[in-house]
Amino acid sequence: MKQKLNILFAASEVAGFAKTGGLADVAAALPKALKKLGHEIKVVMPRYYKIDKEKLTKLQEPLGVSMGNLGELWAAVYTTKLPKSDVDIYFIDHEGFFGRGGLYEDDSGAYSDNDIRFIFFSKATLQLCKLLHFTPDIIHANDWHTAALPLLQKTRFVHDFANAASVLTIHNLQHQGNFEKHIVDAMEVGWEHFNSYELESYHRVNLLKGGIAHADAVTTVSKKYAQEIQTHEFGFGLERHIQAHEERVYGILNGVDYYEWSPSIDDYIAQKYSSKNMDGKQVCKRDIQKYFGLQERDDVAVIGFVGRFAEQKGIELIAGSLHGILDMDVQVVMLGTGEKWAEEYFSKVSYQRPNFALHVGYSDELAHKIEAGSDLFLMPSLFEPCGLNQIYSLAYGTLPIVRATGGLDDTIINFDEHHHEGNGFKFFEASQEALYHTVVWAVRTFYENSEAFKQMQQRAMNSHFGWDDAAKEYIDIYQYILEKKHS
């Protein structure tokens, strides 16, 4: 087995170019970490309308992609480097499919041709390898958008990539790529694969199901989530299918980019600080109090939230317990956007309660300021494949209040005042009452056990969840499945 691997990494979004969620963060960070370990990697994504092609280099040759009964479709290819790296990233440019305002949807909902768009992208990704004379050892697909790759590699492209092994990473099982069955023709994989063990689900095609069936390894973005997706509560209908392939399912916790999220070097925050000298955290607290027009107090517990106003994120739990929380001597600041009822409700509360402040929308700078200036951070997710904000919070000495699910359970150790352990506060039941009582516990600790609270902050800031560790785990899996394939 050769040491240096050729890795093809396909994703529908990459941070720095287009992002809607955590997938983009992984697609930007993991390839850099793999490259640092000495491997050759090429990242491929669509060239959406928002990505300025004037800043990219165009390849001279166009790309022809056979789409079955739709005929041969053509794309241009652009390239550049991932920011702050020497990793090559390529963009599949097709105006009809990707020259739109959104990535997957617009104000009217999901694009009706998402099936054809991403089958085309998956096929184009493999065609690009042939164009570049790049022979991957590993084909790494991500979520439903590229979940067709393992099956395509074993069927339509088997003569080109017979020696490659495939990995499918599930970032969020809720989104599976369910479409009408006619796309089997466009995939050109043969109708024999339209069965209940591979692509078929309730007489439709489920792309993620097919990817799970054919990938040589399936990874999730935390160890706990790898277990949870095999249960009825978190499996979204695929739990028995995943159980059938459990010997190929692995959990690898996402890392975070500490060059981006570290209070000792963060240019967004009012004053830098570290675990050895946390004086700057008080300056950051005053900074967000001033920004939001809250009473400027060092001695009040500030609770932050940054995220989508979505059911998955436990936004209904926050809404239902918010007035009770605000009856305590606390200040709550929220940054986010999402479901309209939530935006309207929290806006109304911001006018009613002087110790609550809201910014509807998203600001990277403000997200950093809230992480630095808060004492506690809310993440009551109903499910959370990995979660990044709780890890950012640890780095900033802002103790997370989380529901014990997925990556939140993997990264947060519940406070134990008797043994002086823990880096946050956890609850288990997805209820308003459980969230409320856990916030009460955390706030009481802040006021009545300040020494233990400070020790927890320092433990949190000294913990490490970097991409270097995660990348080594991926390499171990890559090499294992290659050895197994060629043994």
Side-chain angles (χ1 to χ4, degrees):
M1 180 61 60
K2 64 180 180 179
Q3 293 299 307
K4 181 178 178 181
L5 298 176
N6 286 342
I7 304 163
L8 173 69
F9 194 95
S12 60
E13 55 185 76
V14 179
F17 301 100
K19 174 181 173 178
T20 66
L23 164 60
D25 292 315
V26 176
L30 177 56
K32 295 180 190 177
L34 294 169
K35 180 82 171 184
K36 285 181 181 177
L37 292 176
H39 303 281
E40 184 61 31
I41 183 161
K42 296 191 184 300
V43 180
V44 189
M45 71 172 292
R47 205 286 293 181
Y48 300 107
Y49 183 75
K50 65 187 295 182
I51 301 171
D52 185 2
K53 60 185 178 184
E54 299 301 319
K55 296 180 180 179
L56 310 174
T57 301
K58 186 177 182 180
L59 270 59
Q60 288 188 338
E61 293 184 65
L63 202 63
V65 180
S66 173
M67 290 291 288
N69 54 355
L70 297 176
E72 188 170 33
L73 305 179
W74 291 84
V77 181
Y78 290 84
T79 187
T80 187
K81 302 285 186 183
L82 283 179
K84 301 177 183 178
S85 81
D86 59 349
V87 175
D88 293 320
I89 179 168
Y90 294 86
F91 301 85
I92 305 300
D93 184 54
H94 186 286
E95 192 69 23
F97 288 149
F98 306 120
R100 310 176 187 184
L103 276 59
Y104 319 116
E105 61 189 6
D106 57 22
D107 292 338
S108 302
Y111 294 128
S112 60
D113 60 347
N114 272 344
D115 50 355
I116 300 300
R117 296 173 74 221
F118 288 102
I119 293 298
F120 173 81
F121 172 63
S122 297
K123 283 186 162 185
T125 297
L126 295 175
Q127 284 292 117
L128 176 63
C129 289
K130 294 165 67 175
L131 181 70
L132 298 174
H133 303 291
F134 178 72
T135 305
D137 300 298
I138 296 293
I139 296 171
H140 194 145
N142 292 274
D143 277 349
W144 72 262
H145 321 91
T146 52
L149 282 170
L151 178 56
L152 288 169
Q153 179 238 333
K154 291 180 177 179
T155 54
R156 179 74 174 79
F157 292 85
V158 66
H159 298 299
D160 303 296
F161 305 106
N163 293 321
S166 60
V167 174
L168 171 63
T169 296
I170 299 172
H171 300 262
N172 189 334
L173 187 65
Q174 186 176 22
H175 308 292
Q176 299 177 6
N178 285 289
F179 301 105
E180 297 302 325
K181 61 185 181 182
H182 63 77
I183 66 165
V184 175
D185 284 328
M187 292 174 74
E188 299 180 298
V189 296
W191 277 93
E192 64 270 21
H193 297 287
F194 185 70
N195 63 71
S196 61
Y197 299 101
E198 298 178 71
L199 289 171
E200 189 269 334
S201 178
Y202 299 100
H203 308 294
R204 305 177 85 212
V205 164
N206 184 315
L207 291 175
L208 194 65
K209 182 179 181 180
I212 292 166
H214 286 279
D216 296 299
V218 176
T219 67
T220 66
V221 289
S222 69
K223 287 177 171 55
K224 182 70 176 285
Y225 196 56
Q227 301 165 359
E228 288 179 336
I229 61 174
Q230 299 182 53
T231 67
H232 176 71
E233 183 180 1
F234 300 100
F236 291 98
L238 285 183
E239 59 272 11
R240 296 181 71 176
H241 181 66
I242 297 168
Q243 289 168 15
H245 299 282
E246 65 175 337
E247 77 282 355
R248 293 186 283 106
V249 178
Y250 307 86
I252 300 177
L253 185 71
N254 279 348
V256 300
D257 185 350
Y258 285 109
Y259 292 103
E260 177 76 15
W261 294 93
S262 177
S264 62
I265 57 173
D266 193 336
D267 291 328
Y268 283 135
I269 64 178
Q271 184 172 311
K272 297 176 177 65
Y273 62 95
S274 68
S275 61
K276 295 178 180 177
N277 184 352
M278 294 185 64
D279 292 347
K281 191 163 177 64
Q282 289 293 347
V283 178
C284 294
K285 178 187 282 193
R286 286 293 184 108
D287 183 51
I288 63 166
Q289 288 171 333
K290 185 175 182 180
Y291 177 89
F292 281 110
L294 296 168
Q295 186 179 0
E296 294 182 37
R297 292 171 52 195
D298 290 339
D299 62 341
V300 68
V302 175
I303 304 171
F305 173 91
V306 177
R308 289 184 292 115
F309 295 165
E311 182 183 16
Q312 178 203 334
K313 299 299 182 181
I315 205 68
E316 293 177 9
L317 304 186
I318 296 175
S321 57
L322 184 57
H323 279 292
I325 293 170
L326 292 171
D327 286 340
M328 293 186 281
D329 184 20
V330 299
Q331 294 174 343
V332 177
V333 295
M334 293 184 70
L335 167 65
T337 184
E339 296 182 22
K340 294 303 177 187
W341 72 264
E343 293 182 3
E344 292 170 1
Y345 176 77
F346 292 129
S347 295
K348 182 179 178 182
V349 175
S350 70
Y351 289 108
Q352 296 172 335
R353 306 297 295 254
N355 58 336
F356 176 73
L358 170 73
H359 180 101
V360 174
Y362 185 76
S363 160
D364 204 34
E365 179 177 0
L366 189 53
H368 283 247
K369 287 179 176 291
I370 290 174
E371 289 285 11
S374 300
D375 301 293
L376 297 158
F377 192 90
L378 282 181
M379 280 190 77
S381 303
L382 302 189
F383 67 95
E384 193 64 67
C386 175
L388 291 172
N389 278 105
Q390 86 278 14
I391 304 178
Y392 301 156
S393 298
L394 294 175
Y396 285 72
T398 301
L399 302 183
I401 300 170
V402 305
R403 180 166 179 253
T405 181
L408 300 178
D409 201 24
D410 284 346
T411 52
I412 304 306
I413 302 166
N414 219 358
F415 173 47
D416 182 340
E417 58 186 307
H418 299 295
H419 298 94
H420 300 282
E421 295 175 346
N423 58 12
F425 303 87
K426 288 200 282 198
F427 64 98
F428 296 84
E429 182 182 285
S431 69
Q432 298 170 14
E433 293 76 17
L435 171 59
Y436 170 75
H437 289 300
T438 308
V439 173
V440 170
W441 175 34
V443 170
R444 184 177 294 146
T445 304
F446 174 85
Y447 284 118
E448 299 178 6
N449 200 348
S450 60
E451 188 58 36
F453 196 92
K454 289 175 183 175
Q455 289 174 2
M456 249 200 299
Q457 287 180 305
Q458 290 179 325
R459 277 198 298 276
M461 294 182 73
N462 289 327
S463 60
H464 183 80
F465 299 94
W467 273 111
D468 45 354
D469 298 324
K472 290 173 184 175
E473 291 191 62
Y474 276 105
I475 292 299
D476 287 343
I477 289 175
Y478 293 165
Q479 292 178 333
Y480 172 74
I481 60 177
L482 279 170
E483 289 169 4
K484 190 174 180 181
K485 186 180 183 76
H486 298 298
S487 62

